[in-house]
Amino acid sequence: MNKFFFTPSGFVCFLALFFLASCSDNEGVIFSTQDDVNLGAQVAAEVDSTYRAEGKLLERNSANAKAYQHLDRIVDRVLNSGQVKYRTEFPWTVKIIRDDENLNAFAAPGGYIYVFTGIIRYLEDEDHFAGVLAHEIAHADKRHSVRQLQRDYGISLLLSVALGNNAGALQQIAAQLAGTLAGLRFSREAETEADDTSVIYLGGTNHYACDGAAGFFMKLNAEAQQGNPPEFLSTHPNPENRVENIQQRARENGCSTTSATDSDFNELKKSLNL
């Protein structure tokens, strides 16, 4: 038994966890959705600070207004699909990190999403990019991020971070989330659920091809077969299986796989000089 149960501060923590457990609506997640938001806000502030110090965070200001205008239009189509459970509970902010070599995006708890310019440069189709965003939104909306952090760090430590009482752990969590390639190591089940959910989100947009996320993995797989696998595959294997799974879900759902125009994505890339 963890010793914090026997200390005064630990007893308070135990009571807090007891009440959090009573209001959790996801199996295996002790935190309430508000604690997701609190934890995510702490982590996002640390991530912002880190990349701002490196000159890589593209701030939401007039200099980057055009880029965010087009990014937000893509994101909002997904968020307003009518399928995002915590659409109103989470703040849902998406920020761009200038790193043209980083082929990734990641989600902190509570709907704080980050996208590296590397993946924007890599992709050519707006449906595929929307699929990547939908996948990351699903990680937050299905509460995979906080569930994985619970496993990695323990409930009591995460609660202390959410309450703003553990700066050291906060830095460690932020560094893991924003890892150059790895980020959080989600379970296979969580990755599959995020892929499946991306189909539902995109189908609900009535705009994007609902199997859009498959396009990203098809591109990765094609390069791997040519003997030039992107480094991304070292931590995200089996793209061909994910393509098959996403396309199967699209067939089962009977949703449209007709590609949308790439106007917002092309303008986003142009505004970022990619």
Side-chain angles (χ1 to χ4, degrees):
M1 184 175 291
N2 291 334
K3 64 181 181 180
F4 75 86
F5 288 146
F6 299 102
T7 66
S9 61
F11 183 66
V12 172
C13 199
F14 171 77
L15 288 177
L17 291 174
F18 175 82
F19 287 111
L20 285 174
S22 69
C23 63
S24 173
D25 59 358
N26 283 52
E27 183 179 356
V29 180
I30 297 296
F31 275 23
S32 70
T33 53
Q34 184 56 51
D35 288 305
D36 276 32
V37 174
N38 293 343
L39 176 62
Q42 296 278 348
V43 172
E46 183 67 23
V47 171
D48 286 1
S49 177
T50 298
Y51 283 109
R52 184 178 293 117
E54 297 176 3
K56 293 182 178 180
L57 180 68
L58 299 189
E59 306 281 1
R60 282 184 166 270
N61 55 27
S62 58
N64 302 307
K66 188 173 182 180
Y68 277 110
Q69 175 187 351
H70 294 289
L71 175 62
D72 288 345
R73 288 179 63 173
I74 299 171
V75 172
D76 286 346
R77 290 187 185 108
V78 178
L79 291 176
N80 295 329
S81 64
Q83 302 299 323
V84 178
K85 181 176 182 179
Y86 296 112
R87 174 66 180 98
T88 58
E89 287 88 343
F90 290 170
W92 298 112
T93 62
V94 182
K95 294 182 180 178
I96 304 169
I97 299 171
R98 172 70 78 176
D99 185 341
D100 292 353
E101 303 305 315
N102 197 332
L103 189 64
N104 216 347
F106 66 92
Y112 298 87
I113 312 293
Y114 291 84
V115 182
F116 291 92
T117 53
I119 200 166
I120 299 173
R121 184 185 68 165
Y122 181 74
L123 293 173
E124 300 170 353
D125 191 299
E126 188 167 318
D127 294 271
H128 302 169
F129 182 59
V132 170
L133 291 172
H135 178 94
E136 295 304 328
I137 289 169
H139 276 316
D141 195 42
K142 296 296 182 180
R143 307 187 71 195
H144 296 157
S145 301
V146 74
R147 184 181 291 119
Q148 187 60 47
L149 288 171
Q150 273 184 194
R151 296 190 187 110
D152 291 350
Y153 292 96
I155 295 165
S156 60
L157 185 146
L158 273 194
L159 183 61
S160 70
V161 172
L163 296 173
N165 297 329
N166 196 327
L170 172 62
Q171 292 174 351
Q172 185 178 355
I173 291 170
Q176 181 185 357
L177 274 167
T180 303
L181 287 171
L184 285 181
R185 299 295 185 95
F186 291 114
S187 67
R188 180 177 299 178
E189 292 75 17
E191 290 288 3
T192 298
E193 185 176 29
D195 286 346
D196 291 348
T197 304
S198 77
V199 175
I200 296 171
Y201 290 167
L202 294 187
T205 66
N206 295 316
H207 183 84
Y208 293 119
C210 64
D211 61 350
F216 171 55
F217 295 110
M218 290 174 67
K219 185 174 175 67
L220 291 173
N221 192 43
E223 293 191 13
Q225 290 181 347
Q226 293 173 3
N228 186 33
E231 193 175 356
F232 181 90
L233 290 181
S234 66
T235 54
H236 298 75
N238 300 322
E240 64 278 9
N241 293 343
R242 298 178 75 167
V243 169
E244 293 172 5
N245 174 70
I246 292 167
Q247 292 178 335
Q248 176 63 28
R249 291 295 173 269
R251 288 192 291 270
E252 291 173 355
N253 291 355
C255 49
S256 173
T257 56
T258 301
S259 295
T261 62
D262 300 324
S263 55
D264 278 311
F265 191 53
N266 288 340
E267 290 299 319
L268 171 62
K269 295 180 78 167
K270 185 186 300 183
S271 65
L272 295 172
N273 296 315
L274 296 175

